[in-house]
C-alpha cells in the first residue's frame, strides 16, 4: 500500500513530502572535475591568447598595447595615473627616449611575467591530469572545507551588538513533586531519548528520520537539503529536559555543519518557525552565541522573499539566489495568511538582538497592509495575492492555512509585555468574527470550529485547529467586555471536542480531520483524513488548559495520548506516524517528524512538570513550541516603540 501524498497545508505546519520521493541527491557516476581545474584551463587559454598577441601584433610605439587602460585589469596593483599618464589611460608622447626605454622595459617585464604564469598554469594542469579520481575528490573536498572555514572566519569577524538579555525565569527543573506525576514525566523524557537517539544513529544531519527504513528523510519544505531540521527543532526540548550531553552533540553539529549558503529553495514559514525560532530559543536558554549568529545568518537569507510589489513575502525562497515564488496550488499564485502572518515573534526578536530595524519593519508593514483591507464578514481569507494586494478565494480557516496568523496576533501582544495594544485589538476583532461565523455546537453538544468557504460553513474540523483551545485560554485574560470566563470556557469546550476525536478511534489517537454531520460527530470520514502524523495540537491545548485551570483531567488525557503514541507509533528506529487510527493493525508512514521532538514531546513534558518551568508570564511559545522571552518594556529597543504607550 502506498502512502498518500501530503500536500503542503501550511499554517502551523506544512506536513510532509509525497512518500517515495527521495531525500538524497542523485549523484553522477562520472567524475565531476574540480572547479579550480576548469578555471585553470580557461585561464591558461586566455594567457596563451595574450602571450601570442605580443609576438604577432606589430611592435610599433604608435600602437601601445595598453592604450586602452587594460593594465587595470591584468595588473591591478599598478597605479594607472602615475608616470604622467592621464586618467583616460593614454600615454603622453614627446617626453624623450627615457620614457620610450622605460615603457619597453615594462612591456618586456610583463611579457616575461605572462610567460611564467602561463608555464606554471600548464604545469598545474598536467599535475591535475596525473592524479587519480580519489585524489581529485579528496582535493575538491579539502578546497570546499577551506572555503567553509574562511566563510566562518568572515562571519565571526562581525560580532553582533551587545543587547541586554531579557530576564530569564524557569529554564530548568520543574519537578512536579508528586511521585506518580514525576514517573510519567520521566517516561516522556525516555521517549525523547529514544526519538533523539534513533535520529542520532540513523538520520544524523538529515532533516528528519525514516524510523523503519532507518535512514534520513527530507521534504520539499527544506529543499531536500541536509540542514539538520530535527537537530535545530529539538535543541530546546533537550535543554529543558536536562539532556545536556545530547544538547552538546546538537550544538557541535550546528557549529561545524549548519550552512545556509546552499542552492536550495525552502519554505519561508517553515524555516522561520523551526530554524530561526529553534535557534533563538536555544540561544536564550543556553546563552551560546553560535545560535544567535546562525539565526541572523538565516534571517538575512529570507529577506529577499519580501521583494514583492506589496511587501507580502513569497512562500518559497532560494537561499542562494534570493529568488522567490509561491506554491502552485495556492489560489492563483497567492501567499498564505498563516505563512506571511507567522513571522512577527521571530522577526521582532531579530531586531531586538541585532539592532537592525528591517525585520521589525517587514512584519509591521504586513500588519498595516492587512489593516487597510476590507474583510468579508470581518473574516480574513486564507489567500492574498502578493502582486495585486487582493484576496484570493474566500476561504477562512482556524486550521491549516489560517491558524497561526491569529495565534501570532495574541502572542505579539503577550511578547511585548502587553504593550502592543494594536495586535490585541486586531486579535479580539478577528476572534469575534470567528465566533459569529465559524464556531458552532453539534447536535451531540460538541463545540467545533468549522471552515468558511465562499459563504458556506463546512462542518469539519482539522487536528491543526485543535490548538485553538489553548489559544482561547491564553487570550482569556485581557479579553474585552469582561469575557475572560467565556473564553476560558470556550477553550475547555474545544479541548473536550478534540479529546473526543481521539477517544472515538481504535488507537486513541486523533485523525487529521473530523466531521460533524450526517449523524457522525468528531469522526473522520475520508480515508485520507484518518492518519496521525505525531501532531502536537491537542496535547498543546491540554497543557494550556492545565496551566490555567489545574483540572486533573487534562493530565489524564495527556497521559492517554502519550501511552497511545508509545504503543502504536514507537518502533525500534524511533517513532512513526500511522495511516489509519481506526484500524487495530495500522500501517506506518515511516516518518519521524521534527515537530514531534520540538512540540509533541515538549508539551507532554511540560504537562507533567510544575508551573515554574517556563512560566507563561515570562515566556511566549512560537507556533513550533520554541519559547521566546517576553520583551519587558525596560529592555525593548525596537524602532518606533513608544515607552509611554
Amino acid at each position: 500500500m502506498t502512502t498518500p501524498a501530503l500536500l503542503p497545508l501550511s499554517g502551523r505546519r506544512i506536513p510532509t513530502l509525497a512518500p517515495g520521493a527521495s531525500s538524497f541527491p542523485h549523484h553522477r557516476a562520472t567524475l565531476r572535475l574540480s572547479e579550480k581545474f576548469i578555471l585553470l584551463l580557461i585561464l591558461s587559454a586566455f594567457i596563451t591568447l595574450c602571450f601570442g598577441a605580443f609576438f604577432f601584433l606589430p611592435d610599433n610605439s604608435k600602437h601601445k598595447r595598453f592604450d586602452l587602460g587594460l593594465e587595470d585589469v591584468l595588473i591591478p596593483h599598478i597605479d594607472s595615473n602615475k608616470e604622467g599618464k592621464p586618467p583616460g589611460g593614454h600615454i603622453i608622447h614627446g617626453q624623450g627616449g627615457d620614457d620610450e626605454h622605460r615603457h619597453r622595459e615594462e612591456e618586456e617585464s610583463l611579457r616575461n611575467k605572462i610567460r611564467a604564469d602561463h608555464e606554471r598554469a600548464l604545469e598545474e594542469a598536467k599535475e591535475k591530469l596525473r592524479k587519480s579520481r580519489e585524489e581529485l575528490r579528496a582535493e575538491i573536498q579539502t578546497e570546499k572545507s577551506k572555503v567553509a572555514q574562511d566563510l566562518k572566519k568572515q562571519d565571526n569577524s562581525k560580532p553582533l551588538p551587545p543587547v541586554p538579555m531579557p530576564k530569564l525565569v524557569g529554564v530548568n527543573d520543574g519537578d512536579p513533586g508528586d511521585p506518580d506525576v514525576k514517573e510519567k514525566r520521566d517516561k516522556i523524557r525516555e521517549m525523547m531519548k529514544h526519538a533523539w537517539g534513533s535520529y542520532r544513529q540513523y538520520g544524523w544531519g538529515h532533516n528528519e528520520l525514516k524510523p523503519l527504513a532507518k535512514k534520513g528523510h527530507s521534504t520539499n519544505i527544506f529543499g531536500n537539503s541536509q540542514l539538520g531540521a530535527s537537530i535545530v527543532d529539538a535543541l530546546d526540548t533537550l535543554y529543558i529536559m536536562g539532556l545536556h550531553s545530547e544538547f552538546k552533540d546538537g550544538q557541535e553539529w550546528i557549529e561545524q555543519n549548519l550552512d545556509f549558503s546552499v542552492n536550495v529553495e525552502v519554505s519561508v514559514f517553515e524555516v522561520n518557525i523551526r530554524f530561526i525560532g529553534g535557534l533563538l530559543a536555544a540561544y536564550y536558554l543556553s546563552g551560546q552565541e553560535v545560535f544567535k549568529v546562525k539565526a541572523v545568518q538565516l534571517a538575512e537569507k529570507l529577506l529577499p522573499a519580501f521583494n514583492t510589489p506589496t511587501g507580502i513575502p513569497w512562500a518559497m525562497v532560494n537561499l542562494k539566489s534570493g529568488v522567490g515564488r509561491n506554491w502552485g496550488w495556492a489560489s492563483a499564485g497567492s501567499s498564505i495568511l498563516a505563512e506571511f502572518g507567522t513571522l512577527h515573534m521571530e522577526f521582532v526578536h531579530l531586531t531586538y538582538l541585532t539592532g537592525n530595524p528591517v525585520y521589525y519593519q517587514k512584519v509591521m508593514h504586513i500588519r498595516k497592509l492587512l489593516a487597510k483591507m476590507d474583510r468579508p464578514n470581518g473574516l480574513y481569507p486564507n489567500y492574498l495575492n502578493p502582486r495585486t494586494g487582493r484576496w484570493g478565494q474566500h476561504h477562512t480557516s482556524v486550521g491549516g492555512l489560517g491558524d497561526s496568523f491569529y495565534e501570532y496576533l495574541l502572542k505579539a501582544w503577550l511578547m511585548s509585555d502587553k504593550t502592543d495594544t494594536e495586535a490585541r485589538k486586531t486579535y479580539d476583532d478577528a476572534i469575534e468574527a470567528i465566533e459569529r461565523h465559524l464556531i458552532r455546537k453539534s447536535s451531540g453538544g460538541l463545540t467545533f470550529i468549522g471552515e468558511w468557504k465562499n459563504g458556506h460553513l463546512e462542518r469539519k474540523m482539522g487536528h491543526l485547529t485543535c490548538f485553538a483551545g489553548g489559544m482561547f485560554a491564553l487570550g482569556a485574560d485581557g479579553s474585552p467586555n469582561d469575557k475572560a470566563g467565556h473564553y476560558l470556557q470556550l477553550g475547555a469546550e474545544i479541548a473536550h471536542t478534540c479529546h473526543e476525536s481521539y477517544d472515538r478511534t481504535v488507537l486513541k489517537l486523533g485523525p487529521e480531520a473530523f466531521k460533524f454531520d450526517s449523524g457522525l460527530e468528531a469522526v473522520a470520514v475520508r480515508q485520507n483524513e484518518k492518519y496521525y502524523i505525531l501532531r502536537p495540537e491537542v496535547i498543546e491545548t491540554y497543557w494550556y488548559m492545565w496551566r490555567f485551570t489545574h483540572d486533573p483531567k487534562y493530565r489524564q488525557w495527556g497521559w492517554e495520548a502519550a501511552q497511545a503514541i508509545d504503543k502504536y507509533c514507537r518502533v525500534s528506529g524511533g517513532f512513526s506516524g500511522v495511516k489509519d487510527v481506526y484500524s487495530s493493525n495500522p500501517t506506518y508512514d515511516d516518518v519521524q517528524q521534527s515537530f514531534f521532538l520540538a512540540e509533541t514531546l515538549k508539551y507532554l513534558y511540560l504537562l507533567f512538570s510544575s508551573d515554574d518551568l517556563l512560566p507563561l508570564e515570562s515566556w511566549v511559545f512560537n507556533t513550533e513550541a520554541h519559547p521566546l522571552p517576553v520583551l519587558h518594556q525596560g529592555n525593548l529597543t525596537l524602532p518606533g516603540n513608544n515607552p509611554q504607550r
Side-chain angles (χ1 to χ4, degrees), residues 499-540:
H499 175 257
E500 286 299 307
S501 78
Y502 274 51
D503 203 45
R504 297 179 185 191
T505 71
V506 172
L507 303 186
K508 304 303 178 186
L509 292 169
E512 182 69 4
F514 41 95
K515 290 211 165 190
F516 295 88
D517 57 16
S518 306
L520 293 172
E521 296 200 358
V523 174
V525 177
R526 297 179 180 174
Q527 188 61 40
N528 65 358
E529 294 174 340
K530 294 180 178 180
Y531 60 87
Y532 173 71
I533 57 171
L534 306 171
R535 285 203 188 278
E537 291 78 21
V538 175
I539 294 164
E540 175 184 354

Side-chain angles (χ1 to χ4, degrees), residues 2 76 82 113 115 120 123 130 180 283 304 434 439 513 634:
T2 59
K82 66 186 180 183
K113 180 179 183 301
R115 183 186 293 112
R120 187 169 61 252
E123 280 303 314
R130 282 195 289 267
D180 181 57
Y283 166 68
I434 285 167
I439 298 181

